[in-house]
Amino acid sequence: AQSVTQPDIHITVSEGASLELRCNYSYGATPYLFWYVQSPGQGLQLLLKYFSGDTLVQGIKGFEAEFKRSQSSFNLRKPSVHWSDAAEYFCANNNAGNMLTFGGGTRLMVKP
Amino acid sequence: DTGVSQNPRHKITKRGQNVTFRCDPISEHNRLYWYRQTLGQGPEFLTYFQNEAQLEKSRLLSDRFSAERPKGSFSTLEIQRTEQGDSAMYLCASSIGTAAETQYFGPGTRLLVL
């Protein structure tokens, strides 16, 4: 069965610092990969997605992610974090064709 | 589009009661999904519909859970004889057609079973 792993449960960064959130997936075929963000009490908002083509994808709010097949990774990055980026971030895989399989999430805290 | 809407946003119920949640997808989306999210975890897939057909329901947590989408528009998720372990956020999402399309999520219904 496919799985998605987010190794970091919590990350704290200073405002203005760079950010990288890790995501590893396990599945043989080319996956459909997503990053979502969830603010407290809210639903999930799509940040970006990868289906094929260029392995570096740009998303909303200045986020980007890079698909690395050799490492089975799809890490999320942002060059300069803003206080409003504090939220929970979920990586997900739709390789099965119908359902999203989510990682456990990474909670981002931003220090002033 | 007006986005995916869910009602109610919050529900408190006593153990043993039945609850029903409603999801209204984005109007042109023919796929509708239900997920459950417990505290500190990522969402967990429950079931999905393509139009009015329920194409996957093996992931529903028990036979107390059921979902319908009678006219291919809105959907309901019912939990019978609720248990404290059913306390969670129930999320609905919708998408257009193919499996690769983005799923757009609603704000969720938070259920607390006392």
Side-chain angles (χ1 to χ4, degrees):
Chain A
Q2 61 175 309
S3 67
V4 177
T5 303
Q6 294 180 245
D8 304 304
I9 298 174
H10 294 99
I11 283 185
T12 300
V13 299
S14 297
E15 190 167 18
S18 63
L19 171 70
E20 182 169 26
L21 302 183
R22 296 184 291 163
C23 172
N24 294 97
Y25 66 92
S26 66
Y27 201 78
T30 300
Y32 300 134
L33 294 163
F34 303 80
W35 275 99
Y36 285 87
V37 62
Q38 186 176 38
S39 298
Q42 302 298 310
L44 296 157
Q45 181 183 23
L46 179 72
L47 288 174
L48 48 79
K49 61 187 179 184
Y50 172 77
F51 290 165
S52 63
D54 192 347
T55 57
L56 184 64
V57 293
Q58 303 297 319
I60 62 171
K61 303 184 180 185
F63 286 93
E64 66 178 26
E66 186 170 13
F67 171 65
K68 292 185 177 180
R69 182 187 297 278
S70 62
Q71 298 176 20
S72 297
S73 69
F74 188 57
N75 294 349
L76 182 72
R77 302 194 294 247
K78 186 169 184 177
S80 177
V81 169
H82 188 262
W83 64 265
S84 61
D85 294 323
E88 186 137 27
Y89 291 79
F90 292 96
C91 181
N93 180 3
N94 194 0
N95 197 280
N98 302 311
M99 64 183 193
L100 288 171
T101 299
F102 284 87
T106 298
R107 181 166 296 281
L108 173 66
M109 291 175 280
V110 180
K111 292 189 299 186
Chain B
D1 68 67
T2 58
V4 178
S5 62
Q6 293 187 245
N7 287 288
R9 294 290 307 276
H10 303 274
K11 178 72 176 178
I12 300 174
T13 191
K14 293 182 180 179
R15 191 174 51 189
Q17 298 294 305
N18 299 344
V19 294
T20 300
F21 310 140
R22 176 177 170 129
C23 172
D24 288 89
I26 295 170
S27 58
E28 66 269 24
H29 286 185
N30 60 4
R31 286 196 171 197
L32 186 149
Y33 309 80
W34 286 99
Y35 292 81
R36 184 180 80 154
Q37 186 179 22
T38 53
L39 206 59
Q41 302 296 318
E44 173 188 20
F45 172 82
L46 296 177
T47 187
Y48 92 98
F49 295 84
Q50 180 152 317
N51 300 311
E52 64 275 11
Q54 190 173 13
L55 298 185
E56 173 61 65
K57 56 182 179 180
S58 66
R59 303 292 185 108
L60 285 168
L61 299 164
S62 78
D63 58 8
R64 297 184 297 105
F65 288 71
S66 62
E68 292 183 340
R69 194 183 184 197
K71 296 183 180 179
S73 56
F74 73 91
S75 175
T76 57
L77 177 71
E78 182 181 18
I79 309 174
Q80 296 182 326
R81 305 181 303 280
T82 53
E83 302 173 356
Q84 288 184 323
D86 297 331
S87 297
M89 174 81 90
Y90 291 84
L91 294 165
C92 175
S94 69
S95 72
I96 295 175
T98 66
E101 289 297 328
T102 299
Q103 294 183 23
Y104 294 89
F105 282 81
T109 295
R110 184 168 293 283
L111 172 66
L112 177 62
V113 182
L114 302 176

